[in-house]
Amino acid sequence: MHLEHDEEDYNLSLTKFESMLKTNKVFFFDSEEFEEIILHYLDMGKATLAKKALKLGLEQHPRSTGLKLVQVEMLVYDDKLDQAEKLLNELYAIEPTNEEIFIQKANIYSKRDQHEKAVEFLKTALIYTEDHADVYNLMGMEYLFMDNLELAKENFIKCLEEDIEDQSALYNVVYCFEFLDQNLEAIAYLKTYIDRNPYSEIAWHQSGRLYYGVKDYENAVRSFEFATYVDDEFIGAYMEKGKALERLKRHEEAIESYNRTIELDDPTSYALLRIGKCYEKLGNKVEALKYFNKTVHEDPLLDKGWIAITDFYVRQKNYQKALYYVNKALAIDDQNRLYWKRFATINKAMDNFEEAEFGYRKAVEHGDYQLDTWLFWVDMMMQMGEYNNAILTLLQATEYFPEEFEIEYRLAGLHLQLNEVEKGYFHLSNGLRLNPKHYTLVSDLFPTVWDRPMVQEYIEKHKKAE
């Protein structure tokens, strides 16, 4: 009741202040009312109105420390740090035990990147303040700026001991633990926190995330479940619970969890995609496809959706359909290397070597430098008899894979195919040095070269020298 009454007074003050601005009449407010009005406008980002209120407030209450501290806050907000500090020093002379003076001093030094000094002022503020939680939180933030995560963590924990409901401090504690690679310690800390505050959905959710990170999926599911008991509209917890259930191969339950997120809010492409994947794992191809189609309809720019449909048809060996969808995806984004690689793979499976070669080339052009992409690309060129282009491409690949037997054996075969014997043997000896077992690559890819007695002799000689 008391809170409602305060809220009513606060709204009356605001209405009274705004009507005063419109009529140019001057009403009297006490200094605390002015402070609330100013801070309200600052929170709303209405700096001009806040400054007007401050000016009027100081005219009516020229000695109010509270208003002068708000003035300091506004000077700091405007980056007028020297002016703010001068005013703080004047206030300090009058009220040397006002904790707010030290907090604002810390704020100024923090803005100047002098975080050590800021911490010193906050330590002094701790002596005079009754709100220890707030000061510990500020100290935690200063230590974060200094990259001292151990001390940051310590202060956020102290903040939570003072005010167990401080959610930003809770997130920050977990952040520090994770950054320091102390996931198990974080789980242990959250257990003690939950003992004190069992209805904190944030703590349960964070526990779930940490359990998931250390691959303890059973406990992750349990934690996310508790988060949803506390808040049955906690979309993030349902989503993460679904992911953990998938890891446990409990696909029906995962689908339920993802569906809950769709009931609570507009469907996200991520949830639709995961539901499709679960149905595919359950062998329900019709439903899987239905959800993959919903995914790309919901978010045509999400490459994972198009890839899921394409891969689905590739696994069914329905290459026509797969090609149809990958072409649709490329029509939306023709710079996506994942699409181009699939375009190439599908065409390769259909023996469309020219299209496959084009696809692999595009994949590399758009940043796919994986070894298998280079090799597939070269193999397509070889199928088309483009030996010189294949050699140039392999030499380009050696910039990324300087000591790779797959490349060396191919270069050997290509040069020997072109009767460039010296270069051929140079690469053949490289291949044999890097991986003597796989010399059969030459016989697989270049049977006519392999049949040459001189090549056989060269390999035998090398084997004996081993």
Side-chain angles (χ1 to χ4, degrees):
M1 194 63 212
H2 175 64
L3 273 174
E4 278 175 33
H5 189 66
D6 281 358
E7 185 72 22
E8 225 168 277
D9 287 354
Y10 171 61
N11 287 331
L12 273 173
S13 304
L14 269 177
T15 317
K16 190 168 126 188
F17 180 76
E18 287 181 1
S19 72
M20 178 180 89
L21 289 179
K22 283 176 193 148
T23 57
N24 283 330
K25 285 182 188 160
V26 175
F27 298 133
F28 182 82
F29 297 88
D30 69 35
S31 62
E32 281 185 9
E33 279 183 291
F34 269 120
E35 281 178 47
E36 283 185 353
I37 290 166
I38 296 161
L39 292 172
H40 167 78
Y41 287 131
L42 277 182
D43 286 344
M44 302 280 289
K46 296 180 175 174
T48 321
L49 280 173
K51 282 175 186 166
K52 264 188 194 168
L54 177 67
K55 186 171 174 290
L56 282 164
L58 286 169
E59 280 167 12
Q60 288 187 12
H61 306 278
R63 307 183 95 92
S64 160
T65 308
L67 281 172
K68 284 181 179 167
L69 281 165
V70 172
Q71 186 179 9
V72 167
E73 218 169 302
M74 287 179 69
L75 288 166
V76 172
Y77 180 80
D78 287 339
D79 269 333
K80 295 176 177 166
L81 302 183
D82 294 342
Q83 261 175 277
E85 195 172 14
K86 188 167 169 287
L87 184 50
L88 278 175
N89 290 337
E90 288 167 18
L91 289 172
Y92 175 71
I94 307 161
E95 289 191 28
T97 60
N98 184 329
E99 80 271 16
E100 202 52 46
I101 292 171
F102 298 103
I103 289 172
Q104 288 302 337
K105 279 237 175 189
N107 194 6
I108 289 169
Y109 279 98
S110 182
K111 283 241 174 177
R112 290 175 177 155
D113 283 336
Q114 290 174 270
H115 302 293
E116 305 266 359
K117 260 206 151 150
V119 167
E120 288 312 309
F121 283 114
L122 289 170
K123 282 180 179 168
T124 311
L126 264 182
I127 301 164
Y128 301 116
T129 187
E130 285 174 16
D131 185 358
H132 291 99
D134 188 39
V135 179
Y136 281 129
N137 203 357
L138 291 169
M139 279 166 78
M141 293 309 291
E142 291 306 314
Y143 283 120
L144 273 187
F145 291 135
M146 291 190 266
D147 288 331
N148 187 336
L149 278 100
E150 276 298 347
L151 282 174
K153 181 180 76 179
E154 214 173 279
N155 278 282
F156 290 130
I157 287 172
K158 283 180 184 168
C159 166
L160 287 164
E161 279 163 13
E162 297 285 336
D163 175 7
I164 198 155
E165 297 293 342
D166 191 321
Q167 292 186 356
S168 73
L170 184 58
Y171 278 119
N172 283 328
V173 168
V174 175
Y175 169 79
C176 292
F177 274 118
E178 284 190 282
F179 196 89
L180 293 160
D181 278 332
Q182 298 171 348
N183 286 27
L184 295 173
E185 291 89 329
I187 289 169
Y189 171 75
L190 284 172
K191 269 187 188 161
T192 64
Y193 177 88
I194 286 167
D195 285 343
R196 290 166 56 222
N197 190 6
Y199 295 104
S200 165
E201 72 275 26
I202 308 272
W204 282 115
H205 178 251
Q206 293 295 311
S207 285
R209 277 187 51 257
L210 289 156
Y211 278 123
Y212 188 92
V214 296
K215 298 185 167 50
D216 181 349
Y217 302 120
E218 293 283 355
N219 271 318
V221 168
R222 211 178 108 263
S223 302
F224 292 133
E225 210 145 77
F226 276 116
T228 63
Y229 291 156
V230 180
D231 175 359
D232 65 353
E233 295 191 354
F234 193 161
I235 292 176
Y238 286 112
M239 198 70 94
E240 309 256 5
K241 183 178 148 195
K243 280 166 63 179
L245 286 163
E246 274 193 75
R247 294 285 186 171
L248 293 166
K249 305 205 174 357
R250 286 154 62 181
H251 296 106
E252 277 112 339
E253 290 168 77
I255 290 169
E256 267 174 52
S257 207
Y258 292 130
N259 269 326
R260 187 79 183 103
T261 70
I262 292 169
E263 285 164 26
L264 290 168
D265 199 3
D266 293 335
T268 62
S269 52
Y270 180 80
L272 296 167
L273 175 67
R274 295 314 322 161
I275 293 172
K277 295 259 186 194
C278 288
Y279 276 121
E280 193 177 1
K281 287 270 168 32
L282 290 166
N284 187 337
K285 290 168 188 169
V286 177
E287 284 296 305
L289 209 50
K290 187 172 103 185
Y291 277 92
F292 292 151
N293 276 306
K294 280 184 179 180
T295 306
V296 293
H297 180 74
E298 186 63 40
D299 182 1
L301 295 175
L302 179 78
D303 56 12
K304 288 192 176 84
W306 292 108
I307 286 166
I309 296 189
T310 306
D311 289 354
F312 174 85
Y313 282 118
V314 168
R315 279 194 285 277
Q316 310 294 313
K317 298 202 169 18
N318 186 340
Y319 298 119
Q320 286 302 140
K321 271 274 174 71
L323 192 58
Y324 168 76
Y325 279 103
V326 86
N327 278 326
K328 277 186 87 156
L330 282 166
I332 293 167
D333 176 7
D334 65 354
Q335 301 196 352
N336 187 315
R337 60 178 183 267
L338 301 169
Y339 295 166
W340 280 117
K341 187 162 183 173
R342 278 165 177 77
F343 172 86
T345 307
I346 295 160
N347 276 297
K348 175 172 169 255
M350 296 167 80
D351 289 339
N352 301 335
F353 301 130
E354 277 183 43
E355 283 88 344
E357 185 273 328
F358 179 72
Y360 289 124
R361 180 178 351 140
K362 284 291 195 186
V364 171
E365 263 174 36
H366 292 300
D368 178 348
Y369 303 131
Q370 289 181 301
L371 179 64
D372 69 338
T373 311
W374 289 103
L375 297 178
F376 284 138
W377 182 17
V378 166
D379 292 350
M380 291 304 97
M381 290 181 197
M382 292 181 340
Q383 289 280 3
M384 292 153 65
E386 292 183 13
Y387 299 135
N388 285 316
N389 280 345
I391 289 170
L392 290 173
T393 303
L394 284 167
L395 292 173
Q396 211 182 326
T398 57
E399 290 172 27
Y400 299 90
F401 302 96
E403 292 274 276
E404 181 47 65
F405 73 90
E406 295 255 18
I407 292 175
E408 293 299 332
Y409 281 129
R410 278 173 175 75
L411 281 167
L414 284 161
H415 281 301
L416 290 167
Q417 191 98 27
L418 295 166
N419 291 320
E420 294 166 351
V421 178
E422 206 175 313
K423 285 179 180 172
Y425 286 144
F426 168 76
H427 288 292
L428 186 54
S429 74
N430 276 348
L432 290 163
R433 170 177 61 80
L434 292 166
N435 191 325
K437 285 198 188 92
H438 277 80
Y439 63 82
T440 49
L441 262 177
V442 181
S443 76
D444 296 342
L445 294 168
F446 308 96
T448 54
V449 168
W450 175 255
D451 290 340
R452 294 180 195 172
M454 287 188 49
V455 173
Q456 293 289 339
E457 274 169 41
Y458 189 90
I459 291 168
E460 281 307 312
K461 222 190 288 178
H462 190 278
K463 276 156 86 177
K464 280 179 188 148
E466 280 270 289

